[in-house]
């Protein structure tokens, strides 16, 4: 990756350009049983990404930012029963203007965005979509204990109808380190270019009749902080109309689920035991269902959690992490639960050079994030990080 910075009077410009190429041997679905098996299939991917961004402190106290970003990918599947190619490009223009520091009574952010995406498959079928949007976010803090945020967004995609969505949230600090947070919001998501071109679909060809998702949800949480202890409990509900999902039965294509609902409960804890030791933990219970068929949504575990212990010394540190997920619905069969442990650390040679290392899957556990796709066994990664003063 390459980065560049330039200052022209009141304008500061920064940019980044990155190139990525990968070559992976993967399993496939050979004819004619079409079940997952060892094959000579290869996945080769080449991609470019980058952005150019300019910042200007403009009139009336607004900080302006204008950016252009682009992403280009060319992915081939070789050596299997079916050759497949996917080429896509995404260009985004974005402008924002912000006013108000975090401690001010009032803050405002306004902006606009234009996105152009294209994709082509190996049979030369293609999809091309554009979308324009505008948004505004206002923050109001009449007293130090209360912050209210409201947002409006207007989306006008080329292939679908325009839509206005809203969100409002409030946080109120009570006494003795206790605070309450509540939020309500709407969402609108059009199919991605990969879903429209129907990448990974069989039989191939662009998607027909795929509709945007519309969502509505709320969230309420209670937080308590005292000394080095930070505890938070959250409950939420999200309902989605026309949720986009990949069908696990023939024909293998993207399709809309008429209505889904996700209810969740989350617990978070962060305990600073001492300046050198810190313990963090989280637990989530999630009930995600297709409300029309009354079935559990795939790849959403009912129970999940993680715990991490941090130790920090002078120029060095260690982190031990445990992560667990319960059994979850998957296709074509449920995926079993798992517990996996990782260890990571760093050591500063001097003010500019840091050595890093991590060991993933310490116990060499055989587990799967997705049914049929085993994760690597015990793995060691080492690195060197350099920073300028």
């Amino acid at each position: 990756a390459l980065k560049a910075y330039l200052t022209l009077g009141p304008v500061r410009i920064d940019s980044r350009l990155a190139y990525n190429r990968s070559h992976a041997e993967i399993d496939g679905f050979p004819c004619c049983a079409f079940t997952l098996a060892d094959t000579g299939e290869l996945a080769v991917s080449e991609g470019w990404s980058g952005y150019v961004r300019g910042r200007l402190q403009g009139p009336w106290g607004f900080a302006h930012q204008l950016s252009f970003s682009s992403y280009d990918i060319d992915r081939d599947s070789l050596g299997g029963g079916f050759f497949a190619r996917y080429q896509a490009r995404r260009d985004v223009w974005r402008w924002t203007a912000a006013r108000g520091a975090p401690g001010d009574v009032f803050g405002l952010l306004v902006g606009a965005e234009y996105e152009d995406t294209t994709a082509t498959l190996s049979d030369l079928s293609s999809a091309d979509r554009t979308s324009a949007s505008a948004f505004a976010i206002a923050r109001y803090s009449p007293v130090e204990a209360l912050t209210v945020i409201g947002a409006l967004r207007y989306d006008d995609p080329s292939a679908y109808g325009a839509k206005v969505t809203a969100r409002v949230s409030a946080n109120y600090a009570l006494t003795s380190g206790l605070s309450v947070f509540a939020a309500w919001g709407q969402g609108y998501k059009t199919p991605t270019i990969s879903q429209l071109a129907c990448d990974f679909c069989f039989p191939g060809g662009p998607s027909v009749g795929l509709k945007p998702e519309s969502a509505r949800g709320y969230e309420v949480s209670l937080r308590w902080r005292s000394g080095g202890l930070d505890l938070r409990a959250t409950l939420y509900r999200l309902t989605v109309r026309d949720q986009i999902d990949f069908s696990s039965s023939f024909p293998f294509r993207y399709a809309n689920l008429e209505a889904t609902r996700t209810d969740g409960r989350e617990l978070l804890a962060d305990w600073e035991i001492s300046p050198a030791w810190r313990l963090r933990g989280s637990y989530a219970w999630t009930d995600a269902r297709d409300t029309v068929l009354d079935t559990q949504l795939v790849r959403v575990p009912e129970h999940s959690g993680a715990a991490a212990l941090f130790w920090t010394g002078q120029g060095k540190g260690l982190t031990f992490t445990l992560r667990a997920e319960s059994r979850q619905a998957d296709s074509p069969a449920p995926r079993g639960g798992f517990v996996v442990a990782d260890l990571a650390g760093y050591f500063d040679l001097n003010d500019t050079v840091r050595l890093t290392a991590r060991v993933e899957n310490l116990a060499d556990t055989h587990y799967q994030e997705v049914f049929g796709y085993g994760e690597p066994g015990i793995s060691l990664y080492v690195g060197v990080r350099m920073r300028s003063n």
Side-chain angles (χ1 to χ4, degrees), residues 236-248:
Y236 66 89
R237 168 170 285 186
L238 175 67
T239 57
V240 183
R241 301 287 298 182
D242 298 317
Q243 180 171 321
I244 301 171
D245 196 21
F246 192 79
S247 173
S248 59

Side-chain angles (χ1 to χ4, degrees), residues 6 87 91 108 136 179 195 298 355:
L6 178 64
Q87 297 172 295
D91 295 331
L108 179 65
S179 63
Q195 293 165 341
V298 299
L355 302 180

Side-chain angles (χ1 to χ4, degrees), residues 286-297:
T286 309
D287 180 27
R289 307 191 68 80
D290 183 320
T291 56
V292 176
L293 301 178
D294 193 26
T295 56
Q296 191 175 15
L297 296 182

Side-chain angles (χ1 to χ4, degrees), residues 215-237:
R216 180 174 298 179
Y218 69 83
E219 172 186 344
V220 178
S221 68
L222 194 63
R223 185 178 187 181
W224 179 66
R225 288 180 286 185
S226 177
L229 187 61
D230 188 350
L231 302 176
R232 184 182 301 179
T234 303
L235 63 86
Y236 66 89
R237 168 170 285 186

Side-chain angles (χ1 to χ4, degrees), residues 24-350:
E25 298 178 1
I26 61 175
D27 294 331
F29 297 84
C31 183
C32 288
F34 300 111
T35 57
L36 189 65
D38 291 326
T39 67
E41 197 165 342
L42 302 175
V44 180
S45 179
E46 183 179 44
W48 290 90
S49 62
Y51 67 83
V52 178
R53 178 173 53 196
R55 297 185 177 95
L56 170 66
Q57 189 67 39
W60 306 298
F62 280 91
H64 294 264
Q65 181 173 290
L66 177 64
S67 67
F68 171 75
S69 62
S70 184
Y71 175 72
D72 188 283
I73 187 171
D74 189 339
R75 183 174 61 231
D76 294 330
S77 179
L78 309 171
F82 303 94
F83 168 76
R85 162 166 281 187
Y86 175 73
Q87 297 172 295
R89 182 182 179 92
R90 178 175 181 262
D91 295 331
V92 179
W93 287 93
R94 182 182 175 92
W95 165 79
T96 61
R99 179 179 179 178
D104 293 346
V105 173
F106 183 77
L108 179 65
L109 172 71
V110 295
E113 187 175 270
Y114 178 79
E115 178 180 311
D116 186 359
T117 57
T118 60
T120 304
L121 301 180
S122 46
D123 63 357
L124 300 184
S125 61
S126 63
D128 187 352
R129 293 291 185 271
T130 61
S131 178
S133 59
F135 51 89
I137 304 171
R139 175 183 49 80
Y140 180 53
S141 301
V143 294
E144 185 178 354
L146 176 64
T147 300
V148 180
I149 298 176
L152 283 175
R153 182 180 178 93
Y154 171 78
D155 288 284
D156 187 13
S158 59
Y160 306 97
K163 183 85 170 182
V164 177
T165 53
R167 175 180 170 86
V168 62
S169 66
N171 188 82
Y172 185 70
L174 305 171
T175 60
S176 303
L178 194 64
S179 63
V180 61
F181 173 83
W184 173 90
Q186 300 169 309
Y188 180 64
K189 178 182 178 297
T190 58
T192 66
I193 196 67
S194 176
Q195 293 165 341
L196 289 171
C198 220
D199 186 23
F200 296 118
C201 292
F202 181 81
S207 295
V208 177
L210 205 56
K211 296 179 287 187
E213 299 177 352
S214 296
R216 180 174 298 179
Y218 69 83
E219 172 186 344
V220 178
S221 68
L222 194 63
R223 185 178 187 181
W224 179 66
R225 288 180 286 185
S226 177
L229 187 61
D230 188 350
L231 302 176
R232 184 182 301 179
T234 303
L235 63 86
Y236 66 89
R237 168 170 285 186
L238 175 67
T239 57
V240 183
R241 301 287 298 182
D242 298 317
Q243 180 171 321
I244 301 171
D245 196 21
F246 192 79
S247 173
S248 59
S249 58
F250 187 86
F252 303 105
R253 311 188 68 76
Y254 294 98
N256 291 105
L257 304 180
E258 185 177 342
T260 66
R261 185 189 68 237
T262 301
D263 291 309
R265 311 287 186 269
E266 295 179 349
L267 296 174
L268 301 173
D270 189 341
W271 182 23
E272 188 176 356
I273 304 170
S274 71
W277 292 91
R278 192 182 198 106
L279 180 64
R280 292 177 182 170
S282 64
Y283 166 75
W285 172 84
T286 309
D287 180 27
R289 307 191 68 80
D290 183 320
T291 56
V292 176
L293 301 178
D294 193 26
T295 56
Q296 191 175 15
L297 296 182
V298 299
R299 299 175 185 172
V300 183
E302 184 178 9
H303 303 280
S304 61
L309 181 63
F310 303 86
W311 174 79
T312 304
Q314 185 64 37
K316 51 188 174 292
L318 284 173
T319 302
F320 175 72
T321 304
L322 278 175
R323 183 170 61 91
E325 290 185 6
S326 67
R327 179 182 174 189
Q328 71 178 20
D330 211 325
S331 175
R335 185 222 64 187
F338 65 85
V339 178
V340 64
D342 302 325
L343 181 66
Y346 69 88
F347 180 79
D348 291 335
L349 292 179
N350 50 48

Side-chain angles (χ1 to χ4, degrees), residues 325 328 334-338 366-375:
E325 290 185 6
Q328 71 178 20
R335 185 222 64 187
F338 65 85
H366 296 281
Y367 74 102
Q368 301 172 349
E369 297 275 4
V370 177
F371 180 81
Y373 293 85
E375 298 296 324

